[in-house]
Amino acid sequence: MTDRTRYWIWLSQALGYASVKPKRISMLYNDVKMLYEGGEQEFRYCGIFTENEISKLLSIDLKVADDIINDCKALGYNIFDISEDSYPKKLREIDDPPAVLYVSGTLPSVDNLNCVSIIGTRKATVYGIRTAFELGAALSKKGFVVISGGALGIDCAAHRGVLQADGVTICVLGCGINFDYLKENKGMREQITLKGAVISEYPPGTSASSRNFPQRNRIISALCEGLVVVEAPKASGSMITVNCALAQNKDIFSVMGNVDSPYSEGTNALIKDGAIPVTSYKDILEFYTGVSADESVQNYKAEDIAAVPTKLSRRKDTTATDNKPVATHKTNLSISDMERDIYYLLGLEPMHIDSIAEKSGLPVHIVTRVLSALEMNDLVENVGSRYYSIK
């Protein structure tokens, strides 16, 4: 934490979360304190805030930030702001990085280590639980940092696999670190902090809400090189994380599952769409290191394992992007010029609404209205967490 941290906390409390504005401010100002001390004149002069945001900046007192800092000190949490060298570069590079991160434990040097995120459904099968556990354990033994969201099901299994292997894992929460989220996992989170970290962009005391979890998913995907989906229905929070990862140009891995399992519909569909098939941790290890593993993890029980073909090992292919699908926009549309401009601005890769506003030069509230009209015309879709793409 630096002297500037209190001003970044103030900013996050005024602007909310998953905003592109903190990154833009970090590029405009060497010291965010200059923005705060400039007051309303500076807020207007910098040209990046809406009237509603200016009102919020004026209404939030710096004491709010000081109270949060005092709470973190009492709880033993560290705070990293976006201007610090210790703030993860991987996170800073996305469109909407958190202004601050609250950390319990020791945040690994994710920029210098192999990191994978393992995610999936809360309503996991025995096969999914075992697979996530063994992937977490095996990859951590090979020096990977494993990242997940601390939820029931796949997330929890991946974390526990790492802990069993005495490895390092990061748990990204959609609430304040001290909020009593899933009491049964409290001991697990405490164990994680002994070698890794429990982190959140939400200050202490923030309760869990349905809005927070899609927002935190962009952090889970941002901190890794590759996202591993173990089990997921087609319509699920995991697919929101996949869309975030695609927008961030991450590698997508998908565990092959039983064709008649609803919990594998999403993962099997991802493979059909070009995700890297996973039948063992070795597929991920070889992809990033080019070296085949010598030993295997414990075999699955016959009744738990889904029927899968022979392992397909791949190494990272730098030409893969040449085969990426190209966005095809519809023509001869009966829509307004403004709707047309926004429509052709979008592509297949999801774009955050703040980025759309920035690139179009329109206020966010106008962009919101235009996107709603385009959704009604079945031209674009909201893929979650305020990200949009064409249909």
Side-chain angles (χ1 to χ4, degrees):
M1 186 174 71
T2 68
D3 292 337
R4 292 171 294 202
T5 303
R6 64 198 297 247
Y7 299 97
W8 285 111
I9 295 174
W10 158 77
L11 188 71
S12 70
Q13 294 305 292
L15 297 181
Y17 308 99
S19 168
V20 300
K21 302 298 172 68
K23 183 172 182 176
R24 295 177 64 186
I25 291 164
S26 71
M27 297 169 70
L28 282 174
Y29 295 89
N30 290 327
D31 190 342
V32 69
K33 183 179 179 181
M34 295 171 59
L35 174 69
Y36 175 82
E37 293 182 339
E40 184 174 359
Q41 183 177 357
E42 188 67 27
F43 303 159
R44 295 186 182 280
Y45 177 77
C46 70
I48 64 173
F49 298 117
T50 65
E51 286 297 323
N52 186 47
E53 288 170 338
I54 290 172
S55 295
K56 289 181 178 179
L57 289 166
L58 292 170
S59 65
I60 300 294
D61 194 281
L62 197 60
K63 183 180 182 300
V64 172
D66 292 333
D67 289 343
I68 290 173
I69 291 172
N70 290 333
D71 287 343
C72 287
K73 287 180 178 177
L75 292 164
Y77 300 161
N78 293 311
I79 310 173
F80 298 93
D81 70 63
I82 193 172
S83 69
E84 294 183 65
D85 291 339
S86 51
Y87 185 97
K89 182 180 177 183
K90 287 178 182 174
L91 197 52
R92 190 184 289 116
E93 288 175 345
I94 68 174
D95 289 339
D96 47 3
V100 291
L101 276 181
Y102 303 97
V103 178
S104 178
T106 303
L107 186 64
S109 181
V110 294
D111 296 324
N112 301 309
L113 297 168
N114 283 325
C115 301
V116 293
S117 293
I118 299 177
I119 64 167
T121 181
R122 289 170 169 81
K123 299 178 180 179
T125 66
V126 173
Y127 165 67
I129 294 292
R130 169 165 284 185
T131 302
F133 185 95
E134 293 186 349
L135 284 174
L139 289 170
S140 65
K141 286 179 180 178
K142 294 299 182 181
F144 282 74
V145 174
V146 175
I147 302 155
S148 198
L152 295 175
I154 298 301
D155 289 13
C156 181
H159 287 308
R160 292 190 184 280
V162 176
L163 294 175
Q164 187 272 339
D166 197 29
V168 177
T169 184
I170 300 173
C171 176
V172 186
L173 295 178
C175 56
I177 297 172
N178 67 329
F179 181 74
D180 202 4
Y181 169 67
L182 297 178
K183 293 180 181 180
E184 59 267 47
N185 284 346
K186 182 178 179 181
M188 180 193 76
R189 293 192 294 270
E190 291 175 349
Q191 276 188 280
I192 288 172
T193 62
L194 298 179
K195 291 187 68 174
V198 177
I199 71 173
S200 178
E201 67 177 317
Y202 304 103
T206 304
S207 61
S209 76
S210 58
R211 181 180 180 181
N212 292 358
F213 290 96
Q215 289 179 340
R216 70 88 194 261
N217 290 351
R218 77 194 196 284
I219 300 175
I220 292 175
S221 57
L223 292 174
C224 69
E225 280 82 46
L227 181 76
V228 185
V229 189
V230 177
E231 272 189 330
K234 276 191 174 181
S236 65
S238 296
M239 294 301 115
I240 294 175
T241 314
V242 169
N243 286 324
C244 291
L246 289 170
Q248 296 162 0
N249 199 30
K250 304 293 183 176
D251 303 312
I252 308 296
F253 298 86
S254 188
V255 173
M256 306 178 76
N258 213 325
V259 294
D260 61 2
S261 170
Y263 301 109
S264 292
E265 283 185 358
T267 49
N268 289 338
L270 286 173
I271 292 171
K272 287 176 66 177
D273 290 339
I276 302 159
V278 173
T279 62
S280 161
Y281 81 98
K282 298 177 185 179
D283 297 316
I284 301 165
L285 179 67
E286 187 171 346
F287 183 86
Y288 287 114
T289 67
V291 177
S292 298
D294 293 325
E295 70 275 3
S296 62
V297 294
Q298 179 183 357
N299 291 330
Y300 301 141
K301 293 180 181 178
E303 62 267 27
D304 293 335
I305 193 165
V308 293
T310 305
K311 187 189 81 167
L312 178 61
S313 299
R314 296 186 182 181
R315 296 186 184 180
K316 201 160 192 174
D317 185 357
T318 57
T319 65
T321 54
D322 295 339
N323 298 320
K324 290 177 68 174
V326 178
T328 302
H329 294 85
K330 296 178 182 178
T331 56
N332 300 322
L333 300 172
S334 298
I335 56 178
S336 69
D337 290 342
M338 188 180 297
E339 290 168 352
R340 192 182 306 276
D341 290 342
I342 296 294
Y343 176 61
Y344 280 99
L345 183 63
L346 292 169
L348 293 176
E349 289 193 359
M351 184 184 299
H352 194 275
I353 192 170
D354 286 340
S355 295
I356 300 171
E358 180 181 355
K359 292 180 180 180
S360 67
L362 297 171
V364 172
H365 71 279
I366 297 294
V367 173
T368 301
R369 188 177 67 196
V370 171
L371 288 169
S372 295
L374 292 171
E375 279 189 280
M376 292 178 64
N377 284 311
D378 203 31
L379 295 173
V380 306
E381 61 179 335
N382 182 349
V383 300
S385 196
R386 304 182 82 197
Y387 282 87
Y388 292 81
S389 65
I390 67 167
K391 296 188 76 171

